Amino acid sequence: MAFQDFDKIQERVNAERKRKFRKKIIIGSVSLLVVVAAVIGGAFAYVSYEKGKNNNNGHSQTANASQKPPVSAAQSVKHASLDQIVETLCNATLYRQNCEQTLHENAKNDTTLSNPRALVRSTIEEVKVDLDKVIEKVLGFETKSQEDKDAIAQCQLLVDEAKEELAESVSKVNETDVKNFAKIVPDLNNWLSAVMSYQETCLDGFEDGKLKSNIQKSFNSSQILTSNSLAMIKSLDSYLSSISNAPTTRHLLESKPSDQIPSWVSKEDRRMLRAVDVNVLKPNAIVAKDGSGNFTTINAALIAMPEKYEGRYIIYIKQGIYDETVIVDKKKVNLTMVGDGSQKTIVTGNKSVAKKIRTFLTATFVAQGEGFMAQSMGFKNTAGPEGHQAVAIRVQSDRSIFLNCRFESYQDTLYAYTHRQYYRSCVIIGTIDFIFGDAAAVFQNCNIFIRKGLPGQKNTVTAQGRVDKFQTTGFVIHNCKIASHEDLQPLKSEFRSYLGRPWKKYSRTVVMESTIGDVIDPSGWLRWEETDFAIDTLFYGEFKNNGPSGEVSSRIKWPGFKVMNKEEALKFTVRPFLQGDWINSTSSPVKFGLYEP
């Protein structure tokens, strides 16, 4: 990479110049600039640009005005710098040729795009422009069935979601200078990872056939652009971190042992999370089926919630079974729902694929608004094993927390769809792929139970859906218990069960410091439909698990499977994996590091 070994190369360049020119070297000469630009891939030019912008209204070339280089030489430096910047940014991408072509075209059309940050921003903007073209084309396809029409309508909504997050990304890049760029990298990775998921979910909504094939081709360019954007952000962040003397925010270890609450929760929220007592909670609304509250349904309480509310809005839901489809939309931010217990306050439904409803829409409860929190509640889908895919909850709320909650269904119980999620002391019950999706999610101190499904079925705890290696998504099961549910216990020898299988090409799941019961097959992990799909691109890791099936000697021998050491495991603890400064010292218990000393 062009950024590597700069110090050593610079020493050689200076020594050579000293030998040739003795002490007559002209500081900052054009030839030195050319050498530096060629060596460090435009990085030095970028830093000079940012410094010059503050002193010269953004015109980095004026910084060398006193040297008065020949016009032709100055132009040569400019072109060399752009070429090197593009080469360096695109070097690590999966689609390098496309990346270089995009950046050169963007720079040609906009002469202000002369530094890495601006070029990265232009690529993110290009994704949004491309998605507009894609959805226009998709809406123009001929559809013969209602299912296809519904899938296209869903696709349009998902593209709108993607465009919102792209706009957020562009805005963040615009308002952040180089010095603070590292601070926004977690958000950029989070949003762009979600954009990839939205595009993939659109495709998943169609049955295999000509229409799906045409739509897949339409999305190809935007998927490539999104992947390149993620890769370039990583390249730029790595370099800026390497030359910065500022303390990094990427901690692998806590300074002291901690069992605390996620950091994005305020002090007032911490106090609220310590108790379910209504007098302590001081809820904004109370839901009670018996009429003793402000509302008798959860949806009625949500409708009454102001769209703009300063602080955290709390809805207390008294015990009862609430048979309703609940959607906490994106406008309902910083919402907390607290129940009387995960088996007392239950939201239930029975939508399923068997009823001709797409998996995405079968969820009993949907959490979209940023900062959603739930405590002491149950989420259930009662379609049964015959219903096949039947989601109890779909979560795409960024920085969401679930404490002491219960998620119950059979296939596809918990759809951890997108963004950053934290589950603590929850119970999750299901059969096939019952924790699935493409979020960055940590499950800590949870009880995960495999139940009895249909005869002949194989059970899989996870089906993680990362589609690109630069996405910062994956599932981490940490200090959990994985065991057979009471209905499977006497029959567990009749059902083969596994920790997971690869739903998408770069599926990533880690199980560490957990107790794995004998319900799990010694091989640990299952192929996707008995093929070699993704076995060399996935990442399945285990670290210091125990229990009857915690032993790894009989695990599968795939290239993507790894028995991790401590240093590797630390990367998947709450702080680094979820960019854990949004899980700070609050009071919902959370373990930032490993449990072992």
Side-chain angles (χ1 to χ4, degrees), residues 54-128:
N54 295 330
N55 299 322
N56 301 295
N57 297 320
H59 300 290
S60 59
Q61 296 298 323
T62 62
N64 297 320
S66 61
Q67 298 170 15
K68 297 182 180 180
V71 174
S72 59
Q75 290 174 342
S76 175
V77 171
K78 178 179 178 182
H79 293 309
S81 296
L82 177 62
D83 289 343
Q84 288 296 323
I85 291 170
V86 170
E87 180 182 354
T88 300
L89 286 175
C90 295
N91 186 54
T93 61
L94 297 177
Y95 310 97
R96 180 171 178 170
Q97 184 176 353
N98 178 281
C99 176
E100 292 178 350
Q101 181 180 347
T102 299
L103 293 186
H104 279 299
E105 287 180 357
N106 289 348
K108 182 179 179 181
N109 295 328
D110 184 351
T111 57
T112 66
L113 301 179
S114 57
N115 67 86
R117 188 184 63 163
L119 288 168
V120 170
R121 184 199 67 219
S122 73
T123 305
I124 299 173
E125 290 173 331
E126 192 75 18
V127 182
K128 188 173 181 293

Side-chain angles (χ1 to χ4, degrees), residues 3-4 6-7 43 235-246:
F3 291 152
Q4 291 176 346
F6 171 67
D7 292 335
S235 294
L236 181 56
D237 180 45
S238 296
Y239 173 66
L240 292 176
S241 297
S242 72
I243 65 172
S244 173
N245 293 322

Side-chain angles (χ1 to χ4, degrees), residues 119-385:
L119 288 168
V120 170
R121 184 199 67 219
S122 73
T123 305
I124 299 173
E125 290 173 331
E126 192 75 18
V127 182
K128 188 173 181 293
V129 171
D130 197 75
L131 281 176
D132 283 329
K133 297 175 183 177
V134 169
I135 199 62
E136 183 179 356
K137 185 182 290 187
V138 169
L139 292 173
F141 285 132
E142 181 181 354
T143 53
K144 297 180 180 179
S145 68
Q146 187 60 45
E147 287 80 5
D148 286 340
K149 292 178 181 178
D150 291 343
I152 285 178
Q154 176 181 294
C155 190
Q156 185 172 17
L157 292 174
L158 290 166
V159 167
D160 288 342
E161 295 264 10
K163 287 164 62 179
E164 285 183 25
E165 309 223 1
L166 289 165
E168 289 274 7
S169 300
V170 170
S171 177
K172 263 303 192 203
V173 174
N174 278 339
E175 67 189 28
T176 306
D177 58 22
V178 175
K179 182 179 179 181
N180 294 307
F181 185 79
K183 295 180 181 178
I184 68 169
V185 167
D187 284 338
L188 295 177
N189 285 333
N190 172 52
W191 292 328
L192 292 174
S193 292
V195 168
M196 296 211 76
S197 298
Y198 295 142
Q199 294 176 77
E200 190 71 11
T201 304
C202 171
L203 297 173
D204 288 342
F206 296 89
E207 295 293 331
D208 290 339
K210 184 178 179 180
L211 178 60
K212 181 172 183 176
S213 178
N214 287 335
I215 291 175
Q216 196 160 23
K217 290 177 183 177
S218 300
F219 271 100
N220 188 53
S221 59
S222 63
Q223 289 177 311
I224 288 173
L225 285 167
T226 311
S227 174
N228 285 345
S229 297
L230 277 164
M232 285 190 287
I233 287 167
K234 183 175 182 180
S235 294
L236 181 56
D237 180 45
S238 296
Y239 173 66
L240 292 176
S241 297
S242 72
I243 65 172
S244 173
N245 293 322
T248 179
T249 58
R250 293 172 179 76
H251 304 295
L252 292 183
L253 286 168
E254 262 294 279
S255 58
K256 58 182 179 180
S258 58
D259 249 359
Q260 304 161 355
I261 283 194
S263 69
W264 68 94
V265 185
S266 68
K267 290 182 179 179
E268 186 174 338
D269 296 335
R270 300 178 214 169
R271 187 179 68 251
M272 179 273 296
L273 287 169
R274 291 192 183 102
V276 181
D277 189 315
V278 67
N279 295 317
V280 175
L281 287 176
K282 297 181 180 179
N284 300 90
I286 299 175
V287 179
K289 291 186 71 69
D290 61 8
S292 61
N294 309 110
F295 307 95
T296 57
T297 67
I298 299 170
N299 278 312
L302 279 175
I303 291 171
M305 178 182 172
E307 285 193 5
K308 294 183 179 180
Y309 182 82
E310 294 295 327
R312 182 160 287 278
Y313 194 88
I314 302 170
I315 299 177
Y316 169 49
I317 306 169
K318 291 187 175 183
Q319 69 178 72
I321 297 176
Y322 296 85
D323 189 356
E324 50 183 313
T325 299
V326 178
I327 299 177
V328 180
D329 66 43
K330 293 188 75 171
K331 294 180 181 178
K332 312 290 187 183
V333 301
N334 296 325
L335 169 64
T336 294
M337 289 187 177
V338 180
D340 279 328
S342 65
Q343 297 194 72
K344 293 180 179 180
T345 298
I346 301 171
V347 189
T348 187
N350 61 6
K351 294 179 182 178
S352 70
V353 167
K355 294 180 179 179
K356 306 298 182 183
I357 301 172
R358 289 188 306 283
T359 302
F360 190 78
L361 300 177
T362 62
T364 299
F365 192 101
V366 178
Q368 294 178 317
E370 183 176 355
F372 177 79
M373 298 167 62
Q375 181 178 1
S376 303
M377 290 184 64
F379 304 90
K380 196 171 186 178
N381 189 312
T382 60

